Amino acid sequence: MWRYLKRLIIGKPLKTLEEGNQSLSKFKALALLSSDALSSVAYGTEQITAVLLAVSASAMWFQLPVALLVLILLAAITLSYRMIIHAYPGGGGAYMVASTNWGRNLGLVAGGSLLVDYMLTVAVSVTAGTEAITSAIPALQGQTVPISIVIVILVMCLNLRGVRESASFLMVPVYSFVVMISLMIIIGFYNIVTGQVEFSAPLAVGHSFAGMSIVLFLRAFSSGSSSLTGVEAISNAVPNFKDPKPKNAAATLAIMATILGFFFAGITFLSYWYGIRPNGHVTVLAQIGIKTFGHGIFFYLLQLSTAMILAVAANTGFSAFPMLAYNLAKDKFMPHMYMDKGDRLGYSNGIVSLAVGAIILIAIFNGQTDKLIPLYAVGVFVPFTLSQSGMIIHWYRERGRGWIAKSVVNAIGAIISGVLVLILFGLHFTNVWPYLIIMPALIYMFLKINRHYRNVARQLRLVSEQPIQRVNYSGSTVIVLVSNVTRVTAGAIDYARSIGDYVVAMHVSFDTNPNKEHRTAAEFKAEFPDVRYVDIHSSYRSITAPTLRFVDVIAKKAKERNHSTTIIVPQFTPKKGWQNILHNQTSFRLRTVLNTRDDVTISTYYYHLKE
């Protein structure tokens, strides 16, 4: 049943040779990898105006200079990541740049930040999408968390079907959003130019406002910079593009940044001109849509496209997280299972892990987007700072054509990003303090995993400083664990005789029914008179402890005789998999504890039931 359900949800397995068919064109890649960045305009302006309105409506005109600074940062980041794509075409983005130029530890800071950021990408995008849904359908306002979790699961299943299929599906919501936002901005500007919409801002640009301070301006800037999240995703996913991969990836990034800049500038200006004020029931984007389209069909199409892109914006995380996890696993900082490809040639373990992490974050923050965004921004701008400053080192080392100009661009981006990180910690500390706990814990985990892999490699390496000590055994001692005398036991004993010079059967008995234990011993001796049978009594109904003690004694004696020691655990296998839950898992528990013993081989004898 599970196999058929899996095929229905994920699709039939793809051959490894079909991997080339999964590569993305610029048109599909834009849909797959830009949904997060483009969708952030749905809440970026709102974050700025919410900060300014907390002081006074008279401060609302400052959203324009704040937006201008955000656009300057966008330009610097875009140029920087285009350079990264060409310099590091293997993907990995900020992690690869920081690791190569700043060293392992800062590389892990960048990689760990992005891993958490992609989980937050999914959580923020989905909860923001849910808010758009509840803005249009107020009856659903109390169901934010369940709706968000359902959307995460649906997007996860979509990504498990493969990169190409998810890109094809995403083209509808992404390009619908692009069309509707473009239409809204163009019509809005037309209405303003033709005088159909009156100027409604509380104060015109340039009017002095006594309550404005540099701290307030920086707070608004840090909040508005959330619109730049997701820009780095393309640099992480360069291997997913069609050849020439770097050229296509860089072109896609430029297209995405142009659309993002146009949307952010247009929405912010319309918000200012219309005098929009954020409230807890209707989003700023929805209010702009009402002012532009009225309550007609175009408004509902705008809300539908916004909800769809915010819901699927999580897909950027699902595209970039598995690739980053792959690069970390390749460098032995994450479990190697993140390097395994699933049936549809995607990194399924990374996809599932991301979905689980996002669901946990949604539950912890109760689906509230505003509480997630500051931590989300830190996770983005720490890698921005490390990658752009790392590129300065890269250009200084390479010193190719135009390296000074390129370094200046990277320096501008690094300075603004670094300042932004300090602002986020200084002004939003109550929201971002978990970063100071999460990152050290992640880096500690990365280093522990790396140390484990290095230790394993050293111990398994054939060529090393310590010569391999080989043992020439003169015989074999085999222990068969016996619960009662059945066909499984008989088959295990026969197999033990074929490989062992000395065979001993061990049975653990309890106080509950002494007659049954005596009967079992008699049946065994009658069936196998040449095999030594040992009955170990357990007063506390434990099987594992007496078994370990007995194995230790026999293994020690076998070593004295220069024998190898093999333990055979008999186990019958039901015809149908679900029937396993009807039987106890004694054999599994025994194998688990016996695995702790050195110089002992554990073998399972399976007897397959026919009915």
Side-chain angles (χ1 to χ4, degrees), residues 518-540:
H518 293 316
R519 189 165 57 250
T520 300
E523 288 176 1
F524 186 91
K525 290 173 182 176
E527 190 72 30
F528 310 103
D530 59 328
V531 176
R532 180 186 173 193
Y533 178 83
V534 178
D535 185 356
I536 306 295
H537 183 71
S538 175
S539 299
Y540 295 96

Side-chain angles (χ1 to χ4, degrees), residues 49-61:
T49 54
V51 172
L52 297 174
L53 186 63
V55 179
S56 171
S58 301
M60 296 295 280
W61 75 264

Side-chain angles (χ1 to χ4, degrees), residues 6 11 47 49 97 110 126 137 150 186 230 237 244 248 272 377 399 460 468 489 502 553 573:
K6 182 180 178 183
Q47 294 298 311
T49 54
V97 177
V126 169
I137 311 174
V150 169
I186 291 170
N248 287 329
Y272 159 71
R399 300 201 182 193
L460 298 182
I468 300 173
T489 305
Y502 175 64
V553 172
T573 303

